[in-house]
Amino acid sequence: MREEEKIFAGKLFDARTKELRDIKHKAHTLCQKFNTIDEYDEDRLSIIKEFIGNIGEKYYFQGPIQFNYGSHTFIGENFFSNFNLTVMDDARIYIGDNVMFGPRVSVFTAGHPIDADVRITGLEFGKEIKIGNNVWIGGNTVITQGVKIGDNVIIGAASVVTKDIEDNVIAVGNPCKILRKITEKDKIYWNKKKEEYFQD
């Protein structure tokens, strides 16, 4: 079994093997290239498609960005990320449509053995992360391995998401917990604000 297959099978793997280093090197090199190009350069955003697993046609990364593998991340339509996105996509990451990340969001699928004797061998493991549609992730948030975030969710700034978050809620904190449901009252209020904007 190849090392990459071990990751997806939930087994321990060695990230130092040439097989995995070569995949990561491609992403690291292209992220570095992206980060050095002016944000108004029309060729900048197309670099993402050279290393990402898949992404919709409409997306924007402010940069700088850092993906570990890139090819293990799959992003839907209309994605936005602010400054300093870090994605440790050892295992796969699935991000839905209309997802927005604030500055300094970190997404970590990688984990390390609790036992020190095993850990110092360099072996590690990964658990995939899933983020639903219409999600806003506030700045300085950390999303940890194995987490599933539902649809229509807001994660407050500086949260650490260690457990699944259900659909249609606002969740905040370290560890991240549900604050409240998003309701019809919220929809009415914000649509009124949008109407006021377009009337000015």
Side-chain angles (χ1 to χ4, degrees), residues 34 37 40-48 50:
F34 178 93
I37 295 176
Y40 283 160
D41 190 316
E42 293 180 2
D43 295 329
R44 184 177 187 242
L45 282 176
S46 63
I47 293 169
I48 301 294
E50 295 182 43

Side-chain angles (χ1 to χ4, degrees), residues 23-34:
I23 300 169
K24 292 186 286 184
H25 184 258
K26 178 181 179 182
H28 297 172
T29 301
L30 289 167
C31 285
Q32 185 178 38
K33 181 179 178 182
F34 178 93

